[in-house]
Amino acid sequence: MIHLIMDTFLRYLKEREQEQLVKILSFMFYIFRHDDLKEMLDSNKDSLKLEAMKRIVAMIARGKNTSDLFPAVVKNVACKNIEVKKLVYVYLVRYAEEQQDLALLSISTFQRGLKDPNQLIRASALRVLSSIRVTIIVPIMMLAIKEAASDMSPYVRKTAAHAIPKLHSLDPEQKDQLIEVIEKLLADKTTLVAGSVVMAFEEVCPDRIDLIHKNYRKLCNLLIDVEEWGQVVIINMLTRYARTQFLNPNINESLLEDSSEKAFYASDDEEDEDKKAEAAALVKRKPYVMDPDHRLLLRNTKPLLQSRNAAVVMAVAQLYFHLAPKAEVGIIAKALVRLMRSHSEVQYVVLQNVATMTIKRRGMFEPYLKSFYIRSTDPTQIKILKLEVLTNLANETNISTILREFQTYIKSMDKDFVAASIQAIGRCATNIGEVRDTCLNGLVQLLSNRDELVVAESVVVIKKLLQMQPEQHSDIIKHMAKLIDNIQVPMARASILWLIGEYCEHVPKIAPDVLRKMAKTFTNEEDIVKLQIINLAAKLYLTNSKQTKLLTQYVLNLAKYDQNYDIRDRARFIRQLIVPTDKSGALSKYAKKLFLALKPAPVLESPFKDRDHFQLGSLSHLLNAKAGGYQELPEWPESAPDPSVRNVEVKDSVCARRTVLTGPEGAGVLLLQTTRGILISLFRQMTHELLHHSHSEQSSGTEDRKRGRKAVKNQKSSSESESESESSESEDESEEESEEESESDTNIRKKKTIAPSGSIKMYELLHRITGEGLAVEYCFSRQPFSPDPNMVAVQIQFTNNTNSETKNLHIEEPRLQSGMRIREFAEIGLQPSESVTVVMGIDFCDSTQAANFQLCTHTRKFFVSIQPPVGELMTPVFLTENDFKKEQGKRMSAHPRFSTPSCSIRVTATANLSRVPCGSDKECRFAGKTVSSGCLVLVTVTTKEGGRAQLTVNCEKMVIGTMLVKDIMQALSQ
């Protein structure tokens, strides 16, 4: 016995010693755990320091605490090795806030780092400096931020923008100086800085929209190239900015919608007066014309709907929902549906916003109805949100499809989801009367479900639908009375009894029979069913006491001796209330009002009904509560603010551009065009000489033919020849004068100045009825477009058929294919019954794609398009017969045959080509080149025996050649 006690005692001592040893070893390991890293950091070799810093940064990435190494790391901030210094700054940014006292000891080293030649070191030093949360170094931080804001490196300027909110939170009194820095950084044209400075603007001074005015257009144009998270910040800021600076594009539609709503209690006279007043207001209101800056924002954000970042797509979607005209909002639906294929977290946020959108604009998502069908793998939250969207999208046309889908959802094992599906069915039946009867019958069948949550939801929906369908009371109650015999679920039996009690006045024959059946099984029922039996007995006693008096007393006597004290207490209370006696209190007089009071029907409405006052995509909208830092979305202004605040003044010294003209020898002449008058005149003179030289070469080839024609026409009188020479001289003089005019003057000429030749076809651009009196026609003048020889000259004729002046006629929003360019004409005005002709240039890039744009007046905008025939994309080229054959051998050809003989007039009318001399009478040759790329086009028409002919087109561009063959064939076959 003694030996056993001694062994136990020794074993206990050993266990205690082992525990103490473990504690001691653990403590020693904690003290000396980073000794090897400290030795490496104290080493003189940069390789060891670099290895130590890599291991430390890796430990930080794994979430391990390395704060005890701060003194050893901070000593290496002055290391000359760039790689070591970078990692040291990464460590210091992580722990500078925790180890502020030690970080302050190295403040001078950080300041020296701000002058380092390496941009990463300068940025890291500023980042560490702004992470030290000590007010004593605020002046140093402010000076460092100001210097960094002027740094040559955009990365350092970006870091300065990130440091601004940190300094503002540390010392809000520095706000005025920080606003000056923000204003300076907002003028930065680098995409790397734009997102960061807008974030700083939102944190420090979001109400200073005057800082955005001058930079608005620049931010819109840079938006496509900014980093993804910067795009999100800029788009959200521009959304709020646009709500304060532009008019509501849907203002007229909203007025019409408001006028269609009728007041329920308003008299007919009041309604007529209101309609007249609203009609007068609509007549007085000017037609809405979208601000060009508003359109710029919508146009530049539209491509971002294709972004791979879900946050960017969501930001653009909310911008369009809050700012775009109703006709243009639909483009966001496809992008949001695409995001629903992403992770469940992204789906949840997107569906929250889609549910809000579908309440006001359900038509956007109706084509994508099947995309919201529920999968078995979806989480419950996603299922409920998809149910919400499907319910909002339900209408008379798709309700049968949606109800069939809901019918499958009710069979799910997820009871929360089933309950939500029942509520969705009720909402559909509430909004669409055609399916109410079907939904009611289906919901009554659900009362036999064993799940209490499902039964409770069914009762709520049935109560709502019964109140909306009073003619269905007797049928539904009769059906439930039959159903109660087969239902054994206590919750379901109690719910049916409650519903029968609510409508007992409407079914005076059915309710007593139900009470009689339930009285027989009273003692065997559950407590929840007994309470509803007592409730039904009391209501029947008050409404039909002759038939149910004895039955009610029997039920109350059974309840008086029940084992449950709640049942006994309820029976005693109801007896005193409905059966008046001498001892009854004052409440017995109001028994009917207490038991038979009209109760409001349950409200079946969307939980997203009132969420639209929060900005879509925000945390506040997600939570349906105002989160910290949330900024309210401003209301639209009643009158448009001054748009000139966004105009940026451009200095004359900066207004320069390079223009390359191709001379007659093919040599490039580089000119620098400025706004100075001397340089402009010099440019015009050189351009005139070049064009005159090219025209002289072109005319030399046809001089012999002109002389031949004059020899044939010897029968004409000398007076006619003199008049012809005088007219030709006057035409030459007018051409010289027109070339000496300014660019705006050359683009705008009266109708009598330029008249298209009879062979040039006129096309209708805008009919006078569609244009409300403004008629527009255009033709391809086949003249060189002097500002840019690579553009096709399009002559446009405007005619004002109204009795009022048309002002500010100009072009806006050109929608061009990739590579196409347009040179607009200067803004003009038209007096009543006046016609004006202008010339504009379009570079079609050797394509017959249409150039789409808006033709705008001071009151209206018209969408028009100019589509060129393939023959108008060419300019004549004069070749000798040998050159023609030489070039023809180098190119592919297409040569169909046809029966109609060729005609040079028809070929030149179809395509802008020149005739090439030919020694054969059976052959006609034509040459030209495409205006944009200068690709040579050769056409040969050869007459065969039997009146047949062969057409040959040689061109390096197969599409151009094929289309030209088709057009010439059609012209020659006429």
Side-chain angles (χ1 to χ4, degrees):
M1 187 68 181
I2 295 174
H3 291 291
L4 181 60
I5 294 173
M6 288 297 295
D7 291 340
T8 305
F9 180 70
L10 290 172
R11 194 180 301 111
Y12 173 74
L13 287 177
K14 288 180 180 179
E15 290 177 357
R16 293 295 301 272
E17 288 175 359
Q18 288 177 357
E19 291 178 3
Q20 292 294 332
L21 183 62
V22 169
K23 290 181 180 179
I24 292 170
L25 291 175
S26 300
F27 179 71
M28 292 177 66
F29 175 76
Y30 180 78
I31 294 176
F32 302 108
R33 58 178 176 163
H34 292 146
D35 278 359
D36 57 336
L37 294 175
K38 292 178 182 178
E39 290 178 3
M40 294 171 70
L41 291 171
D42 292 338
S43 173
N44 295 326
K45 295 182 179 180
D46 290 343
S47 59
L48 293 176
K49 292 181 178 180
L50 182 60
E51 181 63 26
M53 288 307 305
K54 286 181 179 179
R55 289 168 58 182
I56 292 171
V57 172
M59 293 166 65
I60 294 174
R62 290 196 297 268
K64 294 185 178 180
N65 184 15
T66 59
S67 58
D68 58 315
L69 290 171
F70 193 90
V73 174
V74 78
K75 288 188 299 183
N76 290 281
V77 74
C79 181
K80 294 182 180 180
N81 189 296
I82 298 296
E83 298 300 324
V84 174
K85 190 180 288 188
K86 290 179 185 177
L87 295 176
V88 168
Y89 277 117
V90 170
Y91 177 89
L92 294 177
V93 169
R94 170 66 179 81
Y95 287 107
E97 240 180 288
E98 299 178 10
Q99 306 283 345
Q100 295 180 2
D101 295 337
L102 291 173
L104 284 174
L105 297 177
S106 303
I107 195 75
S108 59
T109 308
F110 301 150
Q111 288 179 286
R112 285 197 302 271
L114 295 171
K115 306 294 184 181
D116 195 275
N118 192 310
Q119 60 173 352
L120 296 178
I121 302 301
R122 296 198 302 273
S124 299
L126 179 60
R127 193 178 292 114
V128 173
L129 197 61
S130 60
S131 300
I132 303 174
R133 316 291 294 167
V134 180
T135 55
I136 195 173
I137 65 166
V138 166
I140 299 174
M141 291 174 60
M142 177 59 72
L143 183 61
I145 290 174
K146 287 182 177 180
E147 290 180 356
S150 304
D151 197 279
M152 295 294 293
S153 170
Y155 182 72
V156 178
R157 299 198 297 272
K158 175 186 177 76
T159 307
H162 287 167
I164 290 173
K166 296 180 183 179
L167 181 55
H168 180 260
S169 62
L170 182 62
D171 186 6
E173 295 181 359
Q174 305 293 326
K175 181 177 181 179
D176 294 336
Q177 296 186 53
L178 291 175
I179 290 176
E180 295 177 3
V181 181
I182 291 174
E183 185 176 7
K184 182 178 181 179
L185 289 174
L186 280 172
D188 199 306
K189 297 181 180 179
T190 311
T191 56
L192 193 64
V193 182
S196 301
V197 68
V198 170
M199 183 190 68
F201 169 82
E202 292 284 81
E203 292 285 338
V204 178
C205 52
D207 54 336
R208 288 289 305 274
I209 60 171
D210 57 296
L211 301 178
I212 306 297
H213 290 324
K214 300 293 184 183
N215 303 288
Y216 171 81
R217 293 169 185 165
K218 182 199 68 178
L219 290 174
C220 290
N221 292 323
L222 291 180
L223 190 59
I224 194 71
D225 297 317
V226 177
E227 58 169 340
E228 293 173 342
W229 297 109
Q231 289 173 344
V232 175
V233 175
I234 294 174
I235 290 172
N236 289 330
M237 183 273 294
L238 291 178
T239 302
R240 290 189 291 276
Y241 176 85
R243 286 291 288 257
T244 62
Q245 299 300 310
F246 306 130
L247 293 177
N248 184 1
N250 302 309
I251 181 64
N252 294 334
E253 295 182 11
S254 61
L255 284 174
L256 291 172
E257 289 175 0
D258 294 341
S259 63
S260 63
E261 296 179 359
K262 297 180 179 179
F264 185 78
Y265 295 103
S267 63
D268 294 338
D269 296 337
E270 291 176 353
E271 288 180 8
D272 294 338
E273 292 177 0
D274 292 341
K275 287 180 180 178
K276 291 179 181 179
E278 289 167 356
L282 285 172
V283 170
K284 292 181 180 179
R285 181 173 293 276
K286 297 179 181 179
Y288 172 77
V289 178
M290 181 175 285
D291 191 292
D293 289 328
H294 191 174
R295 174 58 63 189
L296 175 68
L297 176 60
L298 295 176
R299 184 170 62 246
N300 286 10
T301 52
K302 182 179 178 180
L304 295 179
L305 288 172
Q306 308 297 326
S307 175
R308 63 181 180 179
N309 191 314
V312 176
V313 178
M314 192 65 247
V316 177
Q318 64 85 23
L319 181 141
Y320 263 78
F321 184 79
H322 291 303
L323 301 181
K326 186 175 291 186
E328 301 179 19
V329 181
I331 62 173
I332 68 175
K334 188 174 182 180
L336 292 177
V337 170
R338 174 174 63 87
L339 293 183
M340 290 175 54
R341 303 187 186 98
S342 186
H343 304 293
S344 58
E345 296 83 2
V346 175
Q347 290 185 49
Y348 181 77
V349 176
V350 171
L351 285 169
Q352 289 263 4
N353 292 274
V354 170
T356 303
M357 294 179 187
T358 51
I359 292 176
K360 285 194 171 183
R361 298 176 182 175
R362 69 173 63 181
M364 291 167 47
F365 295 95
E366 283 183 3
Y368 307 98
L369 182 68
K370 293 185 178 180
S371 299
F372 299 100
Y373 285 176
I374 294 165
R375 300 182 179 90
S376 58
T377 56
D378 288 336
T380 303
Q381 297 87 348
I382 303 297
K383 291 179 180 178
I384 294 174
L385 286 174
K386 285 186 175 181
L387 271 177
E388 180 67 29
V389 175
L390 289 172
T391 306
N392 293 339
L393 295 179
N395 54 35
E396 288 80 2
T397 58
N398 59 23
I399 185 62
S400 58
T401 305
I402 291 178
L403 285 180
R404 281 197 302 270
E405 190 72 15
F406 286 171
Q407 190 175 0
T408 62
Y409 299 161
I410 293 174
K411 301 175 184 178
S412 173
M413 300 300 294
D414 187 349
K415 299 308 176 185
D416 292 332
F417 172 53
V418 173
S421 301
I422 293 171
Q423 191 173 9
I425 293 173
R427 284 174 53 195
C428 291
T430 303
N431 299 329
I432 304 170
E434 299 174 359
V435 296
R436 256 174 225 156
D437 296 342
T438 306
C439 293
L440 262 174
N441 295 327
L443 290 171
V444 170
Q445 298 293 335
L446 287 178
L447 292 177
S448 59
N449 197 291
R450 292 184 175 277
D451 189 88
E452 295 185 359
L453 181 62
V454 175
V455 173
E457 283 293 340
S458 301
V459 170
V460 170
V461 175
I462 291 172
K463 168 68 176 175
K464 175 67 177 179
L465 296 181
L466 282 175
Q467 191 165 7
M468 298 182 68
Q469 295 278 94
E471 67 278 2
Q472 297 291 330
H473 289 170
S474 58
D475 296 337
I476 297 299
I477 297 300
K478 186 184 298 183
H479 183 64
M480 286 192 294
K482 295 178 180 178
L483 194 64
I484 197 171
D485 297 334
N486 303 322
I487 295 177
Q488 302 300 325
V489 181
M491 182 68 180
R493 294 170 68 84
S495 300
I496 292 175
L497 290 172
W498 177 78
L499 284 172
I500 294 174
E502 286 291 304
Y503 299 98
C504 61
E505 296 182 58
H506 302 278
V507 284
K509 296 181 180 179
I510 300 174
D513 294 338
V514 173
L515 180 62
R516 190 174 296 106
K517 292 178 183 179
M518 299 308 297
K520 295 178 181 179
T521 60
F522 183 87
T523 56
N524 299 324
E525 299 287 349
E526 296 290 335
D527 292 342
I528 188 173
V529 180
K530 290 178 180 179
L531 289 174
Q532 292 304 323
I533 294 173
I534 297 172
N535 179 45
L536 178 61
K539 290 182 178 181
L540 288 175
Y541 182 86
L542 294 172
T543 57
N544 191 4
S545 58
K546 293 182 179 180
Q547 291 184 353
T548 59
K549 182 176 180 180
L550 296 176
L551 189 58
T552 301
Q553 290 179 356
Y554 175 71
V555 170
L556 292 177
N557 289 332
L558 290 176
K560 182 178 179 181
Y561 300 102
D562 195 85
Q563 294 181 358
N564 191 325
Y565 61 87
D566 284 334
I567 306 297
R568 298 196 301 268
D569 187 60
R570 179 71 62 88
R572 190 180 304 111
F573 167 72
I574 288 178
R575 186 189 295 274
Q576 294 293 327
L577 198 59
I578 66 174
V579 182
T581 60
D582 297 337
K583 298 180 180 180
S584 299
L587 283 177
S588 59
K589 300 178 182 179
Y590 306 100
K592 279 193 175 182
K593 292 185 178 180
L594 290 173
F595 282 94
L596 303 176
L598 291 175
K599 302 178 181 65
V603 179
L604 299 177
E605 64 179 14
S606 172
F608 295 88
K609 182 180 179 181
D610 298 324
R611 284 202 191 186
D612 57 342
H613 63 278
F614 290 117
Q615 185 174 352
L616 293 182
S618 63
L619 179 63
S620 299
H621 175 268
L622 190 69
L623 302 175
N624 198 22
K626 189 173 181 180
Y630 174 74
Q631 298 176 33
E632 295 285 349
L633 193 65
E635 295 293 335
W636 292 102
E638 295 183 359
S639 58
D642 184 13
S644 63
V645 295
R646 290 182 291 278
N647 295 336
V648 181
E649 296 180 2
V650 182
K651 297 181 181 179
D652 290 346
S653 60
V654 183
C655 292
R657 67 182 176 190
R658 290 185 176 182
T659 307
V660 178
L661 297 178
T662 303
E665 307 298 332
V669 181
L670 179 63
L671 302 177
L672 183 66
Q673 181 182 2
T674 67
T675 56
R676 305 290 184 183
I678 298 175
L679 293 179
I680 289 176
S681 61
L682 179 61
F683 170 74
R684 290 177 185 151
Q685 183 179 357
M686 295 178 67
T687 306
H688 174 67
E689 291 176 358
L690 291 171
L691 293 173
H692 181 71
H693 185 59
S694 62
H695 283 307
S696 64
E697 285 190 353
Q698 295 175 1
S699 61
S700 64
T702 57
E703 189 67 27
D704 295 336
R705 289 192 297 274
K706 290 183 179 179
R707 291 175 182 174
R709 293 193 195 98
K710 290 180 180 178
V712 174
K713 298 177 181 179
N714 288 329
Q715 297 178 358
K716 293 189 176 181
S717 63
S718 60
S719 59
E720 291 177 347
S721 63
E722 290 175 0
S723 62
E724 287 177 358
S725 62
E726 290 175 0
S727 62
S728 62
E729 290 175 359
S730 62
E731 289 176 358
D732 294 339
E733 290 176 358
S734 63
E735 289 180 0
E736 292 178 359
E737 292 174 358
S738 64
E739 288 173 351
E740 293 175 356
E741 291 176 354
S742 62
E743 183 179 338
S744 60
D745 294 335
T746 56
N747 286 343
I748 306 174
R749 300 180 179 91
K750 296 299 180 182
K751 184 176 180 181
K752 63 181 181 180
T753 305
I754 296 179
S757 62
S759 62
I760 295 178
K761 183 179 179 180
M762 298 294 293
Y763 301 89
E764 186 178 68
L765 188 63
L766 184 67
H767 193 270
R768 60 185 180 85
I769 297 177
T770 308
E772 299 179 359
L774 178 65
V776 186
E777 293 182 335
Y778 71 94
C779 67
F780 299 93
S781 62
R782 299 190 174 182
Q783 298 295 326
F785 188 65
S786 56
D788 192 336
N790 293 328
M791 288 187 172
V792 177
V794 182
Q795 186 173 317
I796 305 178
Q797 178 179 315
F798 299 93
T799 304
N800 184 8
N801 298 308
T802 64
N803 297 325
S804 59
E805 182 182 1
T806 302
K807 302 178 181 178
N808 306 332
L809 194 57
H810 63 283
I811 289 176
E812 282 186 5
E813 299 185 30
R815 300 179 182 178
L816 307 176
Q817 299 294 327
S818 177
M820 293 174 61
R821 297 179 295 127
I822 190 170
R823 186 71 173 264
E824 304 171 3
F825 57 86
E827 188 176 287
I828 62 172
L830 290 175
Q831 297 297 328
S833 303
E834 183 185 13
S835 295
V836 172
T837 301
V838 300
V839 179
M840 63 183 291
I842 303 177
D843 182 1
F844 290 100
C845 289
D846 296 345
S847 169
T848 56
Q849 294 288 336
N852 304 305
F853 53 88
Q854 279 189 354
L855 200 59
C856 305
T857 66
H858 66 293
T859 56
R860 289 296 306 275
K861 293 184 178 182
F862 307 97
F863 287 95
V864 295
S865 63
I866 295 178
Q867 186 170 13
V870 67
E872 303 298 342
L873 301 176
M874 304 168 190
T875 184
V877 172
F878 297 92
L879 300 176
T880 63
E881 186 175 4
N882 292 334
D883 291 339
F884 184 91
K885 292 180 178 179
K886 187 177 180 180
E887 295 292 339
Q888 190 177 29
K890 299 178 182 178
R891 287 162 177 79
M892 297 176 61
S893 63
H895 39 270
R897 300 176 184 271
F898 50 94
S899 59
T900 303
S902 62
C903 180
S904 61
I905 297 176
R906 294 183 181 181
V907 174
T908 53
T910 304
N912 189 15
L913 304 173
S914 64
R915 185 78 179 268
V916 177
C918 181
S920 174
D921 296 335
K922 296 183 179 182
E923 207 171 64
C924 293
R925 297 171 180 168
F926 307 88
K929 64 178 181 180
T930 58
V931 177
S932 181
S933 63
C935 180
L936 205 60
V937 180
L938 307 177
V939 178
T940 306
V941 181
T942 306
T943 305
K944 301 291 184 179
E945 296 180 359
R948 300 181 64 81
Q950 177 178 324
L951 172 65
T952 305
V953 176
N954 301 88
C955 183
E956 292 179 353
K957 296 195 173 185
M958 187 176 296
V959 177
I960 293 287
T962 305
M963 297 176 69
L964 187 58
V965 166
K966 181 179 178 181
D967 289 356
I968 295 178
M969 284 277 293
Q970 184 177 0
L972 293 176
S973 300
Q974 290 178 355

